[in-house]
Amino acid sequence: MNTSTLTGFALLVVLIAWICLRQFLWSPVRPQRNMKIGMVLGIIAVANLWHSPIPVKGGDVGILAIELVAGAAFGLWQAKLAEVRPISDKTVARPEARARRKEEPVADLPEQESRAGVQGLAIWLLLLGLRVGLGIFSSAHGYDLMSSMWPTYLVIAANRIVNGAVFARRTVDNRVTA
C-alpha cells in the first residue's frame, strides 16, 4: 500500500462514519449540499479510476452498474423515509452563526430539518454490506477494478446525489408555512 491508497482509505472511513453519525442528528435540509458532495466524490473517484493502471473487464462494468443503481435506489429510499420537520431554534442557530461569521445574509437559511434515524442507518449499512459483498465477489472472480476503493466513492456519490435530488423535490412539495 502506498500513501495515496492509505489516504484514500482513511478518508473513506471518515466519510462513512460521518454519514452514519448524520443519520441520527437533526440537520438543516440543504439538498444542494448533498448533491455537491456527491458530485465532488464522483469526480474524485472517476479521476482516480481513470488514472488507475487496472484493466477494465466486462464484469467490472456490470458490477459497477449494479452498485450504482443500488446506491441511487438506497439514496431514494433513505430520503423517502427520513423525518422532516420545521427547523428548531437549536438547529437554526448553527447556520445563523456561520452566516454571521462569514458576513453573509441570513435570509437563505433552511426552513426544515431532517434525520433518517435507525432506518436510515440500517439502509446505509445494507448498502455498505452490498458493496463489501460485491467487492469480495469481484476479487474472487478477478475483477480487480471493483476490488479497489474508488467504486465505493462512486456508490456513495450516486447515493448522495439521488438523496439530495429527492430531498429537493420533497421539501419543495412540503414547504413549511407559519
Side-chain angles (χ1 to χ4, degrees):
M1 280 192 169
N2 59 24
T3 307
S4 176
T5 303
L6 288 174
T7 303
F9 183 73
L11 288 174
L12 184 60
V13 169
V14 168
L15 178 66
I16 290 169
W18 176 71
I19 292 173
C20 286
L21 175 66
R22 285 187 44 102
Q23 302 304 309
F24 294 101
L25 301 176
W26 286 101
S27 58
V29 174
R30 291 191 171 137
Q32 297 81 7
R33 187 175 182 191
N34 264 356
M35 290 189 286
K36 285 179 188 175
I37 289 169
M39 286 185 247
V40 168
L41 290 174
I43 291 168
I44 290 169
V46 168
N48 280 294
L49 287 171
W50 185 266
H51 289 75
S52 174
I54 302 170
V56 179
K57 299 175 185 169
D60 287 316
V61 174
I63 293 171
L64 180 60
I66 291 168
E67 288 188 15
L68 290 176
V69 168
F74 282 44
L76 177 109
W77 192 13
Q78 286 173 311
K80 289 286 188 180
L81 289 179
E83 299 172 69
V84 178
R85 69 180 187 190
I87 198 161
S88 66
D89 292 338
K90 181 180 176 185
T91 304
V92 81
R94 292 187 312 250
E96 279 180 347
R98 194 173 305 125
R100 282 193 205 103
R101 204 171 37 244
K102 293 181 179 181
E103 297 178 3
E104 296 175 348
V106 184
D108 294 336
L109 293 175
E111 298 174 3
Q112 298 171 317
E113 62 185 352
S114 71
R115 73 172 178 191
V118 175
Q119 295 170 338
L121 180 62
I123 294 167
W124 183 244
L125 293 177
L126 279 172
L127 178 61
L128 292 176
L130 176 68
R131 172 65 190 114
V132 169
L134 287 174
I136 292 169
F137 174 84
S138 299
S139 181
H141 288 84
Y143 302 129
D144 297 329
L145 185 67
M146 291 309 296
S147 302
S148 71
M149 77 179 131
W150 299 113
T152 306
Y153 277 86
L154 281 176
V155 171
I156 294 171
N159 179 276
R160 297 290 86 196
I161 290 169
V162 170
N163 186 283
V166 171
F167 258 113
R169 179 68 185 162
R170 189 173 169 196
T171 55
V172 167
D173 290 345
N174 298 322
R175 280 278 181 222
V176 176
T177 55

